[in-house]
Amino acid sequence: MIRRTTWLLCVWILATIVSAQDAIPHPNVVLILVDDLGLHDLSIEGSTFYRTPNIDGLAASGVRFTNGYANCQVCSPSRASLMLGQFPARHGITDWIGAAWGDNWKRGDALRPAKYVDRLPADETTLAEALTAAGYRTFFAGKWHLGGEGSSPTDHGFEINLGGHHRGSPPGGYFSPYRNPVLEDGPDGECLTRRLARDTASFIQEQSRAPEPYFAMLSFYAVHGPIQTTESLWQKYRELAPDAIEGERFIIDRTLPVRQVQDNPIYAGMMETLDDAVGDVLAAIDASGQAEDTIVIFTADNGGVSSGDAFATCNLPLRGGKGRQWEGGIREPYYIRFPRLTRAGAHSDVPVTGADLFPTVLDLAGLPLMPQNHQDGRSLKALLADPMTPVDGSERPLVWHYPHYGNQGGEPSAILRLGDYKLIHYYLDRHDELYHLPSDVGETHDLAMEQPDRVESMRKTLMDYLSSVNARFPEPDPNYDAAADRLRWKKTHTERKRSLERRAAAYLESDWQPNDTWWGSTFD
């Protein structure tokens, strides 16, 4: 704690001197984080069904990282990594906060999920705290899911918090009344996604008249379940949906059915609302007169929900989705625009993660880096200035550690990406998969048997890292019943799959009716 306090004092003194000399104007920072957004949910990334012109425009106006990653296949670990600049194995939040572990895991799997840290550590400095110490005003709106009382956004450096609490999904759904303890209800039917964006836009407009720079984080609950939209948007995308599907919408990929087509009109309506909300914020930045001095970052916390939860979207050509160890669970949109540095239309193929945002923002703001904190992140400033510039450590090891079972069919495993290769190590039977991503982004050709030396070398790198951070691992469940497990999965692969097919088809029927608590938002 003493070291952290001393560092913050030094940052404040340095920031005061710099401000007085007016030598390094600190840019504003707007970080837009979307929940459960698949890479290919955006038209600029290949979707032909969803409409996202505002997000597409943002991506085209700065640097688009084509190998951008979340730090976990589920939400809380990725959010903690973004705040701390560390991979989940290091900070210890390895599953979504609230998930069962150890003896409390009652699903009947062969392993008991490992224990995890259940709140953002109080003795770690967050990105928001570092910017506050440098004189920034800080604002948070939306989903937090990094702890409740005593570990809320205002306990970790944010001056204002609208909507961020311990829950991972919106308690009242996407239309007011919200039943959110830190967000006032709007008029009945008000849309939560647009409301959070408009509150963020209001903060930006107010700060345009203030002398201090600001850090605004808009952390959407969308497009997490429950999937909900307006009647008009449902009708619009019901009519725009692809022609009748030949065959089935879902395939069994090892553990659960996985959606293979984007034709869900409810989810498409949510995507349009999300895009409109992003447009609200971008318009506020333009209207503030400070667009040239504002860094805008857009990314997501994990892949699209193609399996489990709402089975809402399809991530093809990426395999899997949220909760799963393949690219569909962790590959994300990752866009950064800073007009004073970046060039419109630029892109970089260097693999980057959410943990890189902490040092990147500090570097762009002219603040000292915190290598003792953001130990796994690295500044992307050089890549933003020239995405084609060779960067030292471009083949650095990127590590994911998920010693849990995902609600979406994910398996306890660890991942190492090193250059063009990706190793997946499974904790149940200790087998490995190896993929060459540039030639096999769908992870269909396992090279483990063909390249045993590479597998051994990468596994050692992975395990050495996990050992160095005292990572926790799952343990065998002594009460495991293999026969009951086989019966459970048989029912999942038959009865549940048939039910999913019927439900997905029903969304497109003209007489389909939703839950009567959310039909009719005041914001189309």
Side-chain angles (χ1 to χ4, degrees), residues 240-260:
L240 291 173
D243 294 336
I245 303 299
E246 294 183 8
E248 297 177 313
R249 287 179 173 84
F250 297 88
I251 65 166
I252 302 295
D253 191 351
R254 213 140 77 189
T255 55
L256 283 181
V258 179
R259 182 180 268 272
Q260 300 295 294

PDB file of all heavy atoms in Angstrom, residues 240-260:
ATOM      1  N   LEU A 240     -35.628  -8.812 -42.904  1.00  0.00           N
ATOM      2  CA  LEU A 240     -34.305  -8.797 -43.524  1.00  0.00           C
ATOM      3  C   LEU A 240     -33.535 -10.103 -43.336  1.00  0.00           C
ATOM      4  O   LEU A 240     -32.449 -10.277 -43.909  1.00  0.00           O
ATOM      5  CB  LEU A 240     -33.462  -7.653 -42.941  1.00  0.00           C
ATOM      6  CG  LEU A 240     -33.890  -6.235 -43.310  1.00  0.00           C
ATOM      7  CD1 LEU A 240     -33.068  -5.223 -42.515  1.00  0.00           C
ATOM      8  CD2 LEU A 240     -33.717  -5.999 -44.803  1.00  0.00           C
ATOM      9  N   ALA A 241     -34.077 -11.011 -42.543  1.00  0.00           N
ATOM     10  CA  ALA A 241     -33.359 -12.253 -42.239  1.00  0.00           C
ATOM     11  C   ALA A 241     -33.108 -13.058 -43.501  1.00  0.00           C
ATOM     12  O   ALA A 241     -33.857 -12.966 -44.481  1.00  0.00           O
ATOM     13  CB  ALA A 241     -34.156 -13.076 -41.230  1.00  0.00           C
ATOM     14  N   PRO A 242     -32.041 -13.858 -43.502  1.00  0.00           N
ATOM     15  CA  PRO A 242     -31.775 -14.714 -44.663  1.00  0.00           C
ATOM     16  C   PRO A 242     -32.959 -15.626 -44.958  1.00  0.00           C
ATOM     17  O   PRO A 242     -33.807 -15.882 -44.092  1.00  0.00           O
ATOM     18  CB  PRO A 242     -30.549 -15.532 -44.217  1.00  0.00           C
ATOM     19  CG  PRO A 242     -29.933 -14.740 -43.114  1.00  0.00           C
ATOM     20  CD  PRO A 242     -31.054 -14.010 -42.436  1.00  0.00           C
ATOM     21  N   ASP A 243     -33.012 -16.092 -46.188  1.00  0.00           N
ATOM     22  CA  ASP A 243     -34.079 -17.010 -46.573  1.00  0.00           C
ATOM     23  C   ASP A 243     -34.061 -18.243 -45.676  1.00  0.00           C
ATOM     24  O   ASP A 243     -33.098 -18.491 -44.946  1.00  0.00           O
ATOM     25  CB  ASP A 243     -33.929 -17.428 -48.035  1.00  0.00           C
ATOM     26  CG  ASP A 243     -34.145 -16.240 -48.975  1.00  0.00           C
ATOM     27  OD1 ASP A 243     -34.828 -15.289 -48.556  1.00  0.00           O
ATOM     28  OD2 ASP A 243     -33.603 -16.264 -50.096  1.00  0.00           O
ATOM     29  N   ALA A 244     -35.116 -19.027 -45.765  1.00  0.00           N
ATOM     30  CA  ALA A 244     -35.269 -20.206 -44.913  1.00  0.00           C
ATOM     31  C   ALA A 244     -33.982 -21.033 -44.865  1.00  0.00           C
ATOM     32  O   ALA A 244     -33.342 -21.281 -45.893  1.00  0.00           O
ATOM     33  CB  ALA A 244     -36.421 -21.056 -45.423  1.00  0.00           C
ATOM     34  N   ILE A 245     -33.617 -21.419 -43.664  1.00  0.00           N
ATOM     35  CA  ILE A 245     -32.386 -22.160 -43.452  1.00  0.00           C
ATOM     36  C   ILE A 245     -32.532 -23.588 -43.963  1.00  0.00           C
ATOM     37  O   ILE A 245     -33.505 -24.270 -43.660  1.00  0.00           O
ATOM     38  CB  ILE A 245     -32.026 -22.187 -41.952  1.00  0.00           C
ATOM     39  CG1 ILE A 245     -31.906 -20.757 -41.413  1.00  0.00           C
ATOM     40  CG2 ILE A 245     -30.744 -22.975 -41.707  1.00  0.00           C
ATOM     41  CD1 ILE A 245     -30.843 -19.940 -42.086  1.00  0.00           C
ATOM     42  N   GLU A 246     -31.575 -24.015 -44.764  1.00  0.00           N
ATOM     43  CA  GLU A 246     -31.540 -25.406 -45.184  1.00  0.00           C
ATOM     44  C   GLU A 246     -30.772 -26.205 -44.140  1.00  0.00           C
ATOM     45  O   GLU A 246     -29.631 -25.885 -43.825  1.00  0.00           O
ATOM     46  CB  GLU A 246     -30.865 -25.539 -46.552  1.00  0.00           C
ATOM     47  CG  GLU A 246     -31.640 -24.886 -47.681  1.00  0.00           C
ATOM     48  CD  GLU A 246     -30.981 -25.107 -49.021  1.00  0.00           C
ATOM     49  OE1 GLU A 246     -30.005 -25.900 -49.074  1.00  0.00           O
ATOM     50  OE2 GLU A 246     -31.426 -24.498 -49.997  1.00  0.00           O
ATOM     51  N   GLY A 247     -31.395 -27.230 -43.606  1.00  0.00           N
ATOM     52  CA  GLY A 247     -30.736 -27.997 -42.561  1.00  0.00           C
ATOM     53  C   GLY A 247     -30.980 -27.374 -41.212  1.00  0.00           C
ATOM     54  O   GLY A 247     -32.059 -26.838 -40.932  1.00  0.00           O
ATOM     55  N   GLU A 248     -29.965 -27.386 -40.347  1.00  0.00           N
ATOM     56  CA  GLU A 248     -30.136 -26.974 -38.966  1.00  0.00           C
ATOM     57  C   GLU A 248     -29.297 -25.739 -38.653  1.00  0.00           C
ATOM     58  O   GLU A 248     -28.247 -25.514 -39.246  1.00  0.00           O
ATOM     59  CB  GLU A 248     -29.731 -28.127 -38.039  1.00  0.00           C
ATOM     60  CG  GLU A 248     -30.609 -29.358 -38.210  1.00  0.00           C
ATOM     61  CD  GLU A 248     -30.147 -30.512 -37.336  1.00  0.00           C
ATOM     62  OE1 GLU A 248     -28.927 -30.799 -37.332  1.00  0.00           O
ATOM     63  OE2 GLU A 248     -30.997 -31.128 -36.671  1.00  0.00           O
ATOM     64  N   ARG A 249     -29.789 -24.957 -37.681  1.00  0.00           N
ATOM     65  CA  ARG A 249     -29.063 -23.759 -37.261  1.00  0.00           C
ATOM     66  C   ARG A 249     -27.934 -24.080 -36.283  1.00  0.00           C
ATOM     67  O   ARG A 249     -27.062 -23.259 -36.072  1.00  0.00           O
ATOM     68  CB  ARG A 249     -30.025 -22.771 -36.594  1.00  0.00           C
ATOM     69  CG  ARG A 249     -30.972 -22.066 -37.551  1.00  0.00           C
ATOM     70  CD  ARG A 249     -31.882 -21.128 -36.770  1.00  0.00           C
ATOM     71  NE  ARG A 249     -32.693 -20.307 -37.654  1.00  0.00           N
ATOM     72  CZ  ARG A 249     -33.830 -20.685 -38.201  1.00  0.00           C
ATOM     73  NH1 ARG A 249     -34.297 -21.909 -37.955  1.00  0.00           N
ATOM     74  NH2 ARG A 249     -34.511 -19.876 -38.997  1.00  0.00           N
ATOM     75  N   PHE A 250     -27.982 -25.240 -35.646  1.00  0.00           N
ATOM     76  CA  PHE A 250     -27.025 -25.574 -34.597  1.00  0.00           C
ATOM     77  C   PHE A 250     -26.304 -26.876 -34.910  1.00  0.00           C
ATOM     78  O   PHE A 250     -26.903 -27.810 -35.463  1.00  0.00           O
ATOM     79  CB  PHE A 250     -27.739 -25.715 -33.244  1.00  0.00           C
ATOM     80  CG  PHE A 250     -28.393 -24.457 -32.768  1.00  0.00           C
ATOM     81  CD1 PHE A 250     -29.691 -24.151 -33.130  1.00  0.00           C
ATOM     82  CD2 PHE A 250     -27.698 -23.555 -31.965  1.00  0.00           C
ATOM     83  CE1 PHE A 250     -30.304 -22.983 -32.705  1.00  0.00           C
ATOM     84  CE2 PHE A 250     -28.297 -22.383 -31.527  1.00  0.00           C
ATOM     85  CZ  PHE A 250     -29.602 -22.092 -31.902  1.00  0.00           C
ATOM     86  N   ILE A 251     -25.023 -26.916 -34.570  1.00  0.00           N
ATOM     87  CA  ILE A 251     -24.268 -28.164 -34.598  1.00  0.00           C
ATOM     88  C   ILE A 251     -23.717 -28.425 -33.193  1.00  0.00           C
ATOM     89  O   ILE A 251     -23.549 -27.488 -32.409  1.00  0.00           O
ATOM     90  CB  ILE A 251     -23.105 -28.129 -35.610  1.00  0.00           C
ATOM     91  CG1 ILE A 251     -22.052 -27.092 -35.188  1.00  0.00           C
ATOM     92  CG2 ILE A 251     -23.602 -27.878 -37.028  1.00  0.00           C
ATOM     93  CD1 ILE A 251     -20.735 -27.228 -35.931  1.00  0.00           C
ATOM     94  N   ILE A 252     -23.469 -29.692 -32.902  1.00  0.00           N
ATOM     95  CA  ILE A 252     -22.835 -30.036 -31.630  1.00  0.00           C
ATOM     96  C   ILE A 252     -21.330 -29.935 -31.814  1.00  0.00           C
ATOM     97  O   ILE A 252     -20.745 -30.628 -32.644  1.00  0.00           O
ATOM     98  CB  ILE A 252     -23.209 -31.463 -31.181  1.00  0.00           C
ATOM     99  CG1 ILE A 252     -24.722 -31.607 -31.045  1.00  0.00           C
ATOM    100  CG2 ILE A 252     -22.492 -31.797 -29.867  1.00  0.00           C
ATOM    101  CD1 ILE A 252     -25.336 -30.757 -29.969  1.00  0.00           C
ATOM    102  N   ASP A 253     -20.713 -29.029 -31.069  1.00  0.00           N
ATOM    103  CA  ASP A 253     -19.254 -28.925 -31.084  1.00  0.00           C
ATOM    104  C   ASP A 253     -18.746 -29.391 -29.721  1.00  0.00           C
ATOM    105  O   ASP A 253     -18.626 -28.614 -28.777  1.00  0.00           O
ATOM    106  CB  ASP A 253     -18.802 -27.492 -31.368  1.00  0.00           C
ATOM    107  CG  ASP A 253     -17.305 -27.396 -31.644  1.00  0.00           C
ATOM    108  OD1 ASP A 253     -16.603 -28.404 -31.455  1.00  0.00           O
ATOM    109  OD2 ASP A 253     -16.836 -26.315 -32.031  1.00  0.00           O
ATOM    110  N   ARG A 254     -18.554 -30.655 -29.608  1.00  0.00           N
ATOM    111  CA  ARG A 254     -17.981 -31.339 -28.454  1.00  0.00           C
ATOM    112  C   ARG A 254     -18.887 -31.355 -27.224  1.00  0.00           C
ATOM    113  O   ARG A 254     -19.167 -32.409 -26.689  1.00  0.00           O
ATOM    114  CB  ARG A 254     -16.624 -30.772 -28.087  1.00  0.00           C
ATOM    115  CG  ARG A 254     -15.710 -31.862 -27.511  1.00  0.00           C
ATOM    116  CD  ARG A 254     -14.331 -31.745 -27.991  1.00  0.00           C
ATOM    117  NE  ARG A 254     -13.591 -30.695 -27.327  1.00  0.00           N
ATOM    118  CZ  ARG A 254     -12.378 -30.296 -27.732  1.00  0.00           C
ATOM    119  NH1 ARG A 254     -11.826 -30.839 -28.808  1.00  0.00           N
ATOM    120  NH2 ARG A 254     -11.732 -29.357 -27.088  1.00  0.00           N
ATOM    121  N   THR A 255     -19.347 -30.203 -26.761  1.00  0.00           N
ATOM    122  CA  THR A 255     -20.077 -30.178 -25.498  1.00  0.00           C
ATOM    123  C   THR A 255     -21.510 -29.654 -25.609  1.00  0.00           C
ATOM    124  O   THR A 255     -22.394 -30.131 -24.900  1.00  0.00           O
ATOM    125  CB  THR A 255     -19.341 -29.309 -24.459  1.00  0.00           C
ATOM    126  OG1 THR A 255     -19.135 -27.999 -25.001  1.00  0.00           O
ATOM    127  CG2 THR A 255     -17.998 -29.927 -24.080  1.00  0.00           C
ATOM    128  N   LEU A 256     -21.758 -28.661 -26.444  1.00  0.00           N
ATOM    129  CA  LEU A 256     -23.084 -28.050 -26.543  1.00  0.00           C
ATOM    130  C   LEU A 256     -23.405 -27.702 -27.993  1.00  0.00           C
ATOM    131  O   LEU A 256     -22.497 -27.573 -28.834  1.00  0.00           O
ATOM    132  CB  LEU A 256     -23.143 -26.757 -25.712  1.00  0.00           C
ATOM    133  CG  LEU A 256     -23.284 -26.852 -24.191  1.00  0.00           C
ATOM    134  CD1 LEU A 256     -23.355 -25.449 -23.595  1.00  0.00           C
ATOM    135  CD2 LEU A 256     -24.517 -27.645 -23.786  1.00  0.00           C
ATOM    136  N   PRO A 257     -24.689 -27.489 -28.306  1.00  0.00           N
ATOM    137  CA  PRO A 257     -25.032 -26.967 -29.625  1.00  0.00           C
ATOM    138  C   PRO A 257     -24.475 -25.555 -29.801  1.00  0.00           C
ATOM    139  O   PRO A 257     -24.479 -24.755 -28.866  1.00  0.00           O
ATOM    140  CB  PRO A 257     -26.565 -26.950 -29.617  1.00  0.00           C
ATOM    141  CG  PRO A 257     -26.971 -27.880 -28.515  1.00  0.00           C
ATOM    142  CD  PRO A 257     -25.887 -27.786 -27.491  1.00  0.00           C
ATOM    143  N   VAL A 258     -24.035 -25.256 -31.014  1.00  0.00           N
ATOM    144  CA  VAL A 258     -23.448 -23.953 -31.327  1.00  0.00           C
ATOM    145  C   VAL A 258     -24.144 -23.400 -32.568  1.00  0.00           C
ATOM    146  O   VAL A 258     -24.251 -24.081 -33.595  1.00  0.00           O
ATOM    147  CB  VAL A 258     -21.927 -24.063 -31.579  1.00  0.00           C
ATOM    148  CG1 VAL A 258     -21.342 -22.701 -31.915  1.00  0.00           C
ATOM    149  CG2 VAL A 258     -21.226 -24.665 -30.373  1.00  0.00           C
ATOM    150  N   ARG A 259     -24.585 -22.143 -32.479  1.00  0.00           N
ATOM    151  CA  ARG A 259     -25.306 -21.510 -33.592  1.00  0.00           C
ATOM    152  C   ARG A 259     -24.388 -21.319 -34.787  1.00  0.00           C
ATOM    153  O   ARG A 259     -23.236 -20.886 -34.644  1.00  0.00           O
ATOM    154  CB  ARG A 259     -25.895 -20.172 -33.152  1.00  0.00           C
ATOM    155  CG  ARG A 259     -26.709 -19.457 -34.213  1.00  0.00           C
ATOM    156  CD  ARG A 259     -27.244 -18.140 -33.689  1.00  0.00           C
ATOM    157  NE  ARG A 259     -28.566 -18.260 -33.110  1.00  0.00           N
ATOM    158  CZ  ARG A 259     -29.702 -18.144 -33.796  1.00  0.00           C
ATOM    159  NH1 ARG A 259     -29.663 -17.932 -35.098  1.00  0.00           N
ATOM    160  NH2 ARG A 259     -30.858 -18.240 -33.193  1.00  0.00           N
ATOM    161  N   GLN A 260     -24.928 -21.588 -35.993  1.00  0.00           N
ATOM    162  CA  GLN A 260     -24.140 -21.541 -37.224  1.00  0.00           C
ATOM    163  C   GLN A 260     -24.607 -20.476 -38.218  1.00  0.00           C
ATOM    164  O   GLN A 260     -24.072 -20.381 -39.325  1.00  0.00           O
ATOM    165  CB  GLN A 260     -24.196 -22.913 -37.923  1.00  0.00           C
ATOM    166  CG  GLN A 260     -23.648 -24.051 -37.099  1.00  0.00           C
ATOM    167  CD  GLN A 260     -22.171 -23.913 -36.831  1.00  0.00           C
ATOM    168  OE1 GLN A 260     -21.358 -23.982 -37.752  1.00  0.00           O
ATOM    169  NE2 GLN A 260     -21.806 -23.698 -35.571  1.00  0.00           N
TER     170      GLN A 260
END
